[in-house]
Amino acid sequence: SPVPEDAPVGTVVSVLNVNDPDSGENGQVSCELSGEAPLSIVASSGGSYKVVTASALDREQTSELRVTVLARDRGRPSLWSSRELVLEVSDVNDN
């Protein structure tokens, strides 16, 4: 669902569940975001991550946010997977 442009900083826009069935360091996963967007990712409990707004959104400048979520394990060699996250920013009457 769209994120309103007046959403306060820290608004959760997506919850991601990440798991790796391996044991030891091979099963320990971390996530990060890449791309230009006013979003950040925060670790939560049980292998969950929250994508939250990191700064104000402006629908007139950007109607759609695209970032890549990169999940990487701590094994050697490290294995990873990525997915694109697309969020629509909805307009709010600014007047």
Coordinates of all heavy atoms in Angstrom, one line a residue:
S1 N 0.8 -1.2 0.0 CA 0.0 0.0 0.0 C 0.9 1.2 0.0 O 2.0 1.2 0.5 CB -0.9 0.0 1.2 OG -0.2 0.0 2.4
P2 N 0.4 2.3 -0.6 CA 1.2 3.5 -0.7 C 1.6 4.1 0.7 O 0.8 4.0 1.7 CB 0.3 4.5 -1.4 CG -0.8 3.7 -2.0 CD -0.9 2.5 -1.2
V3 N 2.7 4.8 0.7 CA 3.1 5.5 1.9 C 2.8 7.0 1.7 O 3.2 7.6 0.7 CB 4.6 5.4 2.1 CG1 5.1 6.1 3.4 CG2 5.0 3.9 2.2
P4 N 2.0 7.6 2.6 CA 1.7 9.1 2.4 C 2.9 9.9 2.6 O 3.8 9.7 3.4 CB 0.7 9.3 3.5 CG 0.8 8.3 4.5 CD 1.4 7.1 3.8
E5 N 3.0 11.0 1.8 CA 4.2 11.8 1.8 C 4.4 12.6 3.1 O 5.5 13.0 3.4 CB 4.2 12.8 0.7 CG 3.1 13.9 0.8 CD 3.1 14.9 -0.3 OE1 4.2 15.1 -1.0 OE2 2.1 15.5 -0.6
D6 N 3.3 12.6 4.0 CA 3.5 13.3 5.3 C 3.8 12.3 6.4 O 3.7 12.6 7.6 CB 2.2 14.1 5.6 CG 1.0 13.3 5.8 OD1 1.0 12.1 5.4 OD2 0.0 13.9 6.2
A7 N 4.2 11.1 6.0 CA 4.5 10.1 7.1 C 5.7 10.6 7.9 O 6.7 11.0 7.3 CB 4.8 8.7 6.4
P8 N 5.6 10.5 9.2 CA 6.7 11.0 10.1 C 7.9 10.1 9.9 O 7.8 8.9 9.5 CB 6.2 10.9 11.5 CG 4.9 10.2 11.4 CD 4.5 10.1 10.0
V9 N 9.1 10.7 10.2 CA 10.4 10.0 10.1 C 10.2 8.8 11.1 O 9.7 9.0 12.2 CB 11.5 10.9 10.5 CG1 12.8 10.1 10.7 CG2 11.7 11.9 9.5
G10 N 10.7 7.6 10.7 CA 10.6 6.4 11.6 C 9.4 5.6 11.3 O 9.2 4.5 11.9
T11 N 8.5 6.0 10.3 CA 7.3 5.2 10.0 C 7.8 3.9 9.3 O 8.6 3.9 8.4 CB 6.4 6.0 9.0 OG1 6.0 7.2 9.6 CG2 5.2 5.2 8.6
V12 N 7.2 2.8 9.8 CA 7.5 1.5 9.2 C 6.8 1.3 7.9 O 5.6 1.5 7.9 CB 7.1 0.3 10.2 CG1 7.4 -1.0 9.5 CG2 7.9 0.4 11.5
V13 N 7.5 1.1 6.8 CA 6.9 1.0 5.5 C 6.9 -0.5 5.0 O 6.2 -0.8 4.1 CB 7.5 1.9 4.5 CG1 7.3 3.4 4.9 CG2 9.0 1.6 4.3
S14 N 7.7 -1.3 5.6 CA 7.8 -2.7 5.2 C 8.5 -3.5 6.3 O 9.3 -3.0 7.0 CB 8.6 -2.9 3.9 OG 8.6 -4.2 3.5
V15 N 8.0 -4.8 6.5 CA 8.6 -5.7 7.4 C 9.1 -6.9 6.6 O 8.4 -7.4 5.8 CB 7.7 -6.2 8.5 CG1 8.3 -7.2 9.4 CG2 7.2 -5.0 9.3
L16 N 10.4 -7.2 6.8 CA 11.0 -8.3 6.0 C 11.4 -9.4 7.0 O 11.9 -9.2 8.0 CB 12.3 -7.8 5.3 CG 12.1 -6.5 4.5 CD1 13.5 -6.1 4.0 CD2 11.2 -6.8 3.3
N17 N 11.1 -10.6 6.6 CA 11.6 -11.8 7.3 C 12.7 -12.5 6.6 O 12.5 -12.8 5.4 CB 10.4 -12.8 7.6 CG 9.4 -12.2 8.5 OD1 9.7 -11.7 9.5 ND2 8.1 -12.3 8.1
V18 N 13.8 -12.7 7.2 CA 15.0 -13.2 6.6 C 15.4 -14.4 7.4 O 15.5 -14.4 8.6 CB 16.1 -12.2 6.5 CG1 17.4 -12.8 5.9 CG2 15.7 -11.0 5.8
N19 N 15.7 -15.6 6.7 CA 16.2 -16.7 7.5 C 17.2 -17.5 6.6 O 17.1 -17.4 5.4 CB 15.1 -17.6 8.0 CG 14.4 -18.4 6.9 OD1 15.0 -18.9 6.0 ND2 13.1 -18.7 7.1
D20 N 18.1 -18.1 7.2 CA 19.0 -19.0 6.6 C 19.1 -20.3 7.4 O 19.5 -20.2 8.6 CB 20.4 -18.3 6.5 CG 21.4 -19.0 5.7 OD1 21.3 -20.3 5.5 OD2 22.4 -18.4 5.2
P21 N 18.7 -21.4 6.8 CA 18.7 -22.7 7.6 C 20.0 -23.2 8.0 O 20.1 -24.2 8.7 CB 17.9 -23.6 6.7 CG 18.1 -23.1 5.3 CD 18.3 -21.6 5.4
D22 N 21.1 -22.6 7.5 CA 22.5 -23.1 7.9 C 22.7 -22.9 9.4 O 22.0 -22.1 10.0 CB 23.5 -22.4 7.1 CG 23.5 -22.8 5.6 OD1 23.0 -23.8 5.3 OD2 24.0 -22.0 4.8
S23 N 23.7 -23.6 9.9 CA 24.1 -23.4 11.3 C 25.4 -22.5 11.4 O 26.1 -22.3 10.4 CB 24.3 -24.8 12.0 OG 25.4 -25.4 11.3
G24 N 25.6 -22.1 12.6 CA 26.8 -21.3 12.9 C 26.8 -20.0 12.1 O 25.7 -19.4 11.9
E25 N 28.0 -19.5 11.8 CA 28.1 -18.2 11.1 C 27.4 -18.3 9.7 O 26.9 -17.2 9.2 CB 29.6 -17.8 10.9 CG 30.2 -17.4 12.2 CD 31.6 -16.8 12.0 OE1 32.2 -17.1 10.9 OE2 32.1 -16.1 12.8
N26 N 27.3 -19.4 9.1 CA 26.6 -19.5 7.8 C 25.1 -19.2 7.9 O 24.5 -18.9 6.9 CB 26.8 -20.9 7.2 CG 28.2 -21.2 6.8 OD1 29.0 -20.3 6.5 ND2 28.6 -22.4 6.8
G27 N 24.6 -19.3 9.1 CA 23.2 -19.1 9.3 C 22.9 -17.7 9.9 O 21.7 -17.3 10.1
Q28 N 23.9 -16.9 10.2 CA 23.7 -15.6 10.7 C 23.6 -14.6 9.5 O 24.6 -14.5 8.7 CB 24.9 -15.2 11.6 CG 24.9 -16.0 12.9 CD 26.1 -15.7 13.7 OE1 26.9 -14.8 13.5 NE2 26.3 -16.5 14.8
V29 N 22.5 -13.9 9.4 CA 22.2 -13.0 8.3 C 22.1 -11.6 8.7 O 21.6 -11.3 9.8 CB 20.9 -13.5 7.6 CG1 20.6 -12.6 6.4 CG2 21.0 -14.9 7.1
S30 N 22.7 -10.7 7.9 CA 22.5 -9.3 8.1 C 21.9 -8.7 6.8 O 22.1 -9.2 5.7 CB 23.8 -8.6 8.4 OG 24.7 -8.7 7.4
C31 N 21.2 -7.6 6.9 CA 20.5 -6.9 5.8 C 21.0 -5.5 5.7 O 21.2 -4.8 6.7 CB 19.0 -7.0 5.9 SG 18.3 -8.6 5.6
E32 N 21.0 -5.0 4.5 CA 21.3 -3.6 4.2 C 20.5 -3.1 3.0 O 20.1 -3.9 2.2 CB 22.8 -3.3 4.1 CG 23.4 -4.1 2.9 CD 24.9 -4.0 2.8 OE1 25.6 -4.4 3.8 OE2 25.4 -3.4 1.8
L33 N 20.4 -1.8 2.9 CA 19.7 -1.2 1.7 C 20.7 -0.6 0.8 O 21.7 0.0 1.3 CB 18.7 -0.1 2.2 CG 17.5 -0.6 3.0 CD1 16.6 0.6 3.3 CD2 16.7 -1.6 2.3
S34 N 20.5 -0.6 -0.5 CA 21.3 0.1 -1.4 C 20.4 0.9 -2.3 O 19.3 0.4 -2.6 CB 22.3 -0.8 -2.2 OG 21.6 -1.6 -3.0
G35 N 20.8 2.0 -2.8 CA 20.0 2.8 -3.6 C 19.8 4.2 -2.9 O 20.0 4.4 -1.8
E36 N 19.3 5.1 -3.7 CA 19.1 6.5 -3.3 C 17.6 6.6 -2.8 O 16.7 6.7 -3.7 CB 19.4 7.5 -4.4 CG 20.8 7.5 -4.8 CD 21.8 8.0 -3.7 OE1 21.4 9.0 -3.1 OE2 22.9 7.5 -3.6
A37 N 17.3 6.5 -1.6 CA 16.0 6.7 -1.0 C 16.1 7.1 0.4 O 17.0 6.8 1.1 CB 15.2 5.4 -1.2
P38 N 15.1 7.9 0.9 CA 15.1 8.3 2.3 C 14.5 7.2 3.2 O 13.6 7.4 4.0 CB 14.1 9.6 2.2 CG 13.2 9.2 1.1 CD 14.0 8.5 0.1
L39 N 15.2 6.1 3.1 CA 14.8 4.9 3.9 C 16.0 4.3 4.6 O 17.1 4.5 4.2 CB 14.1 3.8 3.0 CG 12.9 4.2 2.2 CD1 12.6 3.1 1.2 CD2 11.7 4.5 3.0
S40 N 15.7 3.6 5.7 CA 16.8 2.9 6.4 C 16.2 1.5 6.8 O 15.0 1.3 6.8 CB 17.3 3.7 7.6 OG 16.4 3.9 8.5
I41 N 17.1 0.6 7.2 CA 16.6 -0.7 7.6 C 17.1 -0.9 9.1 O 18.2 -0.5 9.4 CB 17.2 -1.8 6.7 CG1 16.5 -3.1 6.9 CG2 18.7 -1.9 6.7 CD1 16.6 -4.1 5.8
V42 N 16.2 -1.5 9.9 CA 16.5 -1.7 11.3 C 16.2 -3.1 11.6 O 15.2 -3.7 11.3 CB 15.5 -0.8 12.1 CG1 15.8 -1.0 13.6 CG2 15.7 0.7 11.8
A43 N 17.2 -3.8 12.3 CA 17.0 -5.2 12.7 C 15.9 -5.2 13.8 O 15.8 -4.3 14.7 CB 18.3 -5.7 13.3
S44 N 15.1 -6.2 13.7 CA 14.1 -6.5 14.7 C 14.3 -7.8 15.3 O 15.4 -8.4 15.2 CB 12.7 -6.4 14.1 OG 11.7 -6.3 15.0
S45 N 13.3 -8.4 16.0 CA 13.5 -9.7 16.6 C 13.2 -10.9 15.6 O 12.5 -10.7 14.7 CB 12.6 -9.8 17.8 OG 11.3 -9.7 17.4
G46 N 13.9 -12.0 15.9 CA 13.6 -13.3 15.2 C 13.9 -13.2 13.7 O 13.2 -13.8 12.9
G47 N 14.9 -12.5 13.3 CA 15.3 -12.5 11.9 C 14.4 -11.5 11.1 O 14.5 -11.6 9.8
S48 N 13.7 -10.7 11.7 CA 12.9 -9.7 11.0 C 13.7 -8.4 10.9 O 14.5 -8.0 11.7 CB 11.6 -9.4 11.8 OG 10.8 -10.5 11.8
Y49 N 13.4 -7.6 9.9 CA 13.9 -6.3 9.6 C 12.8 -5.4 9.3 O 11.8 -5.8 8.6 CB 14.9 -6.3 8.5 CG 16.2 -7.0 8.9 CD1 16.4 -8.3 8.8 CD2 17.3 -6.2 9.3 CE1 17.5 -9.0 9.2 CE2 18.5 -6.8 9.7 CZ 18.6 -8.2 9.6 OH 19.8 -8.8 10.0
K50 N 12.9 -4.1 9.8 CA 11.9 -3.1 9.4 C 12.5 -2.1 8.5 O 13.6 -1.6 8.8 CB 11.4 -2.4 10.7 CG 10.6 -3.3 11.6 CD 10.3 -2.5 12.9 CE 9.6 -3.4 13.9 NZ 9.3 -2.7 15.2
V51 N 11.8 -1.7 7.4 CA 12.3 -0.6 6.6 C 11.5 0.6 7.0 O 10.2 0.5 7.1 CB 12.0 -1.0 5.1 CG1 12.4 0.2 4.2 CG2 12.8 -2.2 4.7
V52 N 12.2 1.6 7.4 CA 11.5 2.8 7.9 C 11.9 4.1 7.2 O 13.0 4.1 6.5 CB 11.8 3.0 9.4 CG1 11.4 1.8 10.3 CG2 13.3 3.2 9.7
T53 N 11.1 5.1 7.3 CA 11.4 6.4 6.6 C 12.6 7.0 7.5 O 12.5 7.0 8.7 CB 10.2 7.3 6.6 OG1 9.7 7.5 7.9 CG2 9.1 6.8 5.7
A54 N 13.6 7.5 6.8 CA 14.7 8.1 7.4 C 14.7 9.6 7.3 O 15.4 10.3 8.0 CB 16.0 7.6 6.8
S55 N 13.9 10.2 6.4 CA 13.7 11.6 6.3 C 12.3 11.8 5.6 O 11.7 10.9 5.3 CB 14.8 12.2 5.5 OG 14.9 11.7 4.2
A56 N 12.0 13.1 5.5 CA 10.7 13.5 4.9 C 10.6 13.0 3.5 O 11.6 13.0 2.7 CB 10.5 15.0 5.0
L57 N 9.4 12.6 3.1 CA 9.1 12.2 1.7 C 8.4 13.4 1.0 O 7.7 14.2 1.6 CB 8.1 11.0 1.7 CG 8.6 9.8 2.5 CD1 7.5 8.7 2.5 CD2 9.9 9.3 2.0
D58 N 8.6 13.5 -0.3 CA 7.9 14.5 -1.1 C 7.4 13.9 -2.4 O 8.2 13.6 -3.3 CB 8.9 15.7 -1.4 CG 8.2 16.9 -2.0 OD1 7.1 16.8 -2.4 OD2 8.9 17.9 -2.1
R59 N 6.1 13.7 -2.5 CA 5.5 13.1 -3.7 C 5.8 13.9 -4.9 O 5.9 13.4 -6.0 CB 4.0 13.0 -3.4 CG 3.1 12.6 -4.6 CD 3.3 11.2 -5.0 NE 2.3 10.7 -5.9 CZ 2.2 10.9 -7.2 NH1 3.0 11.8 -7.7 NH2 1.3 10.4 -7.9
E60 N 5.8 15.3 -4.8 CA 6.1 16.1 -6.0 C 7.5 15.9 -6.6 O 7.7 16.1 -7.7 CB 5.8 17.6 -5.7 CG 4.4 17.9 -5.5 CD 3.7 17.4 -4.3 OE1 4.3 17.2 -3.2 OE2 2.5 17.0 -4.4
Q61 N 8.4 15.5 -5.7 CA 9.8 15.2 -6.2 C 9.9 13.7 -6.6 O 10.6 13.4 -7.6 CB 10.8 15.5 -5.2 CG 11.0 17.0 -4.9 CD 12.1 17.3 -3.9 OE1 12.7 16.4 -3.4 NE2 12.3 18.5 -3.7
T62 N 9.4 12.8 -5.9 CA 9.5 11.4 -6.1 C 8.2 10.7 -5.8 O 7.8 10.6 -4.6 CB 10.7 10.8 -5.3 OG1 11.8 11.5 -5.5 CG2 10.9 9.3 -5.6
S63 N 7.6 10.0 -6.8 CA 6.3 9.3 -6.6 C 6.5 7.9 -6.3 O 5.6 7.2 -5.8 CB 5.4 9.5 -7.8 OG 6.0 8.9 -8.9
E64 N 7.8 7.4 -6.5 CA 8.1 6.0 -6.3 C 9.5 5.8 -5.7 O 10.4 6.5 -6.2 CB 7.9 5.2 -7.6 CG 8.1 3.8 -7.5 CD 7.8 3.1 -8.9 OE1 8.8 3.1 -9.7 OE2 6.7 2.7 -9.1
L65 N 9.6 5.0 -4.7 CA 10.9 4.8 -4.1 C 11.4 3.4 -4.5 O 10.6 2.4 -4.3 CB 10.9 4.9 -2.6 CG 10.4 6.3 -2.0 CD1 10.3 6.2 -0.5 CD2 11.4 7.4 -2.4
R66 N 12.6 3.2 -4.9 CA 13.2 1.9 -5.3 C 14.5 1.7 -4.6 O 15.4 2.5 -4.7 CB 13.4 1.8 -6.8 CG 12.1 1.7 -7.6 CD 12.5 1.6 -9.1 NE 11.3 1.5 -9.9 CZ 10.7 0.3 -10.2 NH1 11.4 -0.8 -9.9 NH2 9.6 0.3 -10.9
V67 N 14.6 0.7 -3.8 CA 15.8 0.3 -3.1 C 16.0 -1.2 -3.3 O 15.1 -1.9 -3.5 CB 15.8 0.7 -1.6 CG1 15.8 2.2 -1.5 CG2 14.7 0.0 -0.9
T68 N 17.3 -1.6 -3.1 CA 17.6 -3.0 -3.2 C 17.9 -3.4 -1.7 O 18.7 -2.8 -1.1 CB 18.8 -3.3 -4.1 OG1 18.4 -2.9 -5.4 CG2 19.1 -4.8 -4.1
V69 N 17.3 -4.5 -1.3 CA 17.6 -5.1 0.0 C 18.6 -6.2 -0.3 O 18.4 -7.1 -1.1 CB 16.3 -5.7 0.6 CG1 16.6 -6.3 2.0 CG2 15.2 -4.6 0.8
L70 N 19.7 -6.2 0.4 CA 20.8 -7.1 0.3 C 20.9 -7.9 1.6 O 21.1 -7.3 2.7 CB 22.1 -6.5 0.0 CG 23.3 -7.3 -0.2 CD1 23.2 -8.3 -1.4 CD2 24.6 -6.5 -0.3
A71 N 20.7 -9.2 1.5 CA 20.8 -10.1 2.7 C 22.1 -10.9 2.5 O 22.3 -11.5 1.5 CB 19.6 -11.0 2.9
R72 N 23.0 -10.9 3.5 CA 24.3 -11.6 3.4 C 24.5 -12.4 4.7 O 24.3 -11.9 5.8 CB 25.3 -10.5 3.3 CG 26.7 -11.0 3.1 CD 27.8 -9.9 3.0 NE 27.4 -8.8 2.3 CZ 27.6 -8.5 1.0 NH1 28.3 -9.4 0.3 NH2 27.2 -7.4 0.4
D73 N 25.0 -13.6 4.5 CA 25.3 -14.4 5.7 C 26.8 -14.2 6.1 O 27.5 -13.5 5.4 CB 25.0 -15.9 5.5 CG 26.0 -16.6 4.5 OD1 27.1 -16.1 4.2 OD2 25.7 -17.8 4.1
R74 N 27.2 -14.7 7.2 CA 28.5 -14.4 7.7 C 29.5 -15.6 7.5 O 30.6 -15.7 8.1 CB 28.5 -14.1 9.2 CG 27.7 -12.8 9.4 CD 27.9 -12.3 10.8 NE 27.2 -11.0 10.9 CZ 26.5 -10.6 11.9 NH1 26.3 -11.4 13.0 NH2 25.9 -9.5 11.9
G75 N 29.1 -16.5 6.6 CA 29.9 -17.6 6.3 C 31.1 -17.2 5.4 O 31.2 -16.1 5.0
R76 N 32.0 -18.2 5.2 CA 33.2 -17.9 4.3 C 33.2 -19.0 3.3 O 33.5 -20.1 3.6 CB 34.5 -17.9 5.2 CG 34.4 -16.8 6.1 CD 35.7 -16.3 6.5 NE 35.5 -15.0 7.2 CZ 35.8 -14.7 8.4 NH1 36.4 -15.5 9.1 NH2 35.6 -13.6 8.9
P77 N 33.0 -18.7 2.1 CA 32.7 -17.4 1.5 C 31.2 -17.0 1.9 O 30.4 -17.8 2.1 CB 32.8 -17.5 0.0 CG 32.5 -19.0 -0.2 CD 33.0 -19.7 1.0
S78 N 31.0 -15.7 2.0 CA 29.7 -15.1 2.3 C 28.8 -15.3 1.1 O 29.2 -15.0 0.0 CB 29.9 -13.6 2.6 OG 28.6 -13.1 3.0
L79 N 27.6 -15.8 1.4 CA 26.6 -15.9 0.3 C 25.5 -14.8 0.5 O 25.3 -14.4 1.7 CB 25.9 -17.3 0.4 CG 26.8 -18.5 0.2 CD1 26.1 -19.8 0.4 CD2 27.5 -18.4 -1.1
W80 N 24.9 -14.4 -0.5 CA 24.0 -13.3 -0.4 C 22.8 -13.4 -1.4 O 22.9 -14.2 -2.3 CB 24.7 -11.9 -0.7 CG 25.4 -11.9 -2.0 CD1 26.6 -12.3 -2.3 CD2 24.8 -11.4 -3.2 NE1 26.9 -12.1 -3.6 CE2 25.8 -11.5 -4.2 CE3 23.6 -10.8 -3.6 CZ2 25.6 -11.1 -5.5 CZ3 23.4 -10.4 -4.9 CH2 24.4 -10.6 -5.8
S81 N 21.8 -12.7 -1.1 CA 20.6 -12.6 -2.0 C 20.1 -11.2 -2.0 O 20.3 -10.5 -1.0 CB 19.6 -13.6 -1.5 OG 18.4 -13.5 -2.4
S82 N 19.5 -10.8 -3.1 CA 18.9 -9.4 -3.1 C 17.6 -9.4 -3.7 O 17.2 -10.3 -4.5 CB 19.9 -8.4 -3.8 OG 20.0 -8.8 -5.2
R83 N 16.8 -8.4 -3.3 CA 15.5 -8.2 -3.9 C 15.2 -6.7 -4.0 O 15.7 -5.9 -3.1 CB 14.4 -8.8 -3.0 CG 14.4 -10.3 -3.0 CD 13.9 -10.9 -4.3 NE 13.9 -12.3 -4.2 CZ 14.8 -13.1 -4.6 NH1 16.0 -12.7 -5.0 NH2 14.7 -14.4 -4.5
E84 N 14.5 -6.3 -5.0 CA 14.2 -4.9 -5.1 C 12.9 -4.6 -4.4 O 11.9 -5.4 -4.5 CB 14.0 -4.5 -6.6 CG 13.7 -3.0 -6.8 CD 13.7 -2.6 -8.2 OE1 12.9 -3.2 -9.0 OE2 14.4 -1.6 -8.6
L85 N 12.8 -3.5 -3.7 CA 11.7 -3.1 -2.9 C 11.2 -1.8 -3.6 O 11.9 -0.8 -3.7 CB 12.0 -2.8 -1.5 CG 10.9 -2.4 -0.5 CD1 9.8 -3.4 -0.4 CD2 11.5 -2.1 0.9
V86 N 9.9 -1.8 -4.0 CA 9.3 -0.6 -4.6 C 8.2 -0.1 -3.8 O 7.3 -0.9 -3.5 CB 8.8 -1.0 -6.1 CG1 8.2 0.3 -6.7 CG2 9.9 -1.6 -6.9
L87 N 8.2 1.2 -3.4 CA 7.2 1.8 -2.6 C 6.6 3.0 -3.3 O 7.4 3.8 -3.8 CB 7.8 2.2 -1.2 CG 8.4 1.1 -0.4 CD1 9.1 1.7 0.8 CD2 7.3 0.2 0.2
E88 N 5.3 3.0 -3.3 CA 4.6 4.2 -3.9 C 4.4 5.2 -2.8 O 4.0 4.9 -1.7 CB 3.3 3.7 -4.5 CG 2.5 4.8 -5.1 CD 1.1 4.3 -5.6 OE1 0.9 3.1 -5.8 OE2 0.3 5.2 -5.8
V89 N 4.6 6.5 -3.2 CA 4.4 7.6 -2.3 C 3.1 8.3 -2.7 O 3.0 8.7 -3.8 CB 5.6 8.6 -2.3 CG1 5.3 9.8 -1.4 CG2 6.9 8.0 -2.0
S90 N 2.2 8.4 -1.7 CA 0.9 9.0 -2.1 C 0.9 10.5 -1.8 O 1.6 10.9 -0.9 CB -0.3 8.3 -1.4 OG -0.1 8.4 0.0
D91 N 0.1 11.2 -2.5 CA 0.0 12.6 -2.4 C -0.9 13.1 -1.2 O -1.9 12.4 -0.9 CB -0.5 13.2 -3.7 CG -0.3 14.7 -3.8 OD1 0.6 15.2 -3.1 OD2 -1.0 15.4 -4.5
V92 N -0.5 14.1 -0.5 CA -1.2 14.7 0.5 C -1.4 16.2 0.2 O -0.4 16.8 -0.3 CB -0.5 14.6 1.9 CG1 -1.3 15.3 3.0 CG2 -0.4 13.1 2.3
N93 N -2.5 16.8 0.4 CA -2.7 18.2 0.0 C -1.8 19.1 0.8 O -1.9 19.1 2.1 CB -4.2 18.6 0.3 CG -4.5 20.0 -0.3 OD1 -3.6 20.7 -0.7 ND2 -5.8 20.3 -0.2
D94 N -0.8 19.7 0.2 CA 0.2 20.5 0.9 C -0.3 21.9 1.1 O 0.4 22.7 1.8 CB 1.5 20.6 0.0 CG 2.1 19.2 -0.2 OD1 1.9 18.3 0.6 OD2 2.9 19.1 -1.2
N95 N -1.4 22.3 0.6 CA -1.9 23.7 0.7 C -2.6 23.9 2.0 O -3.3 23.1 2.6 CB -2.8 24.1 -0.4 CG -2.0 24.1 -1.7 OD1 -0.8 24.3 -1.8 ND2 -2.7 23.7 -2.8

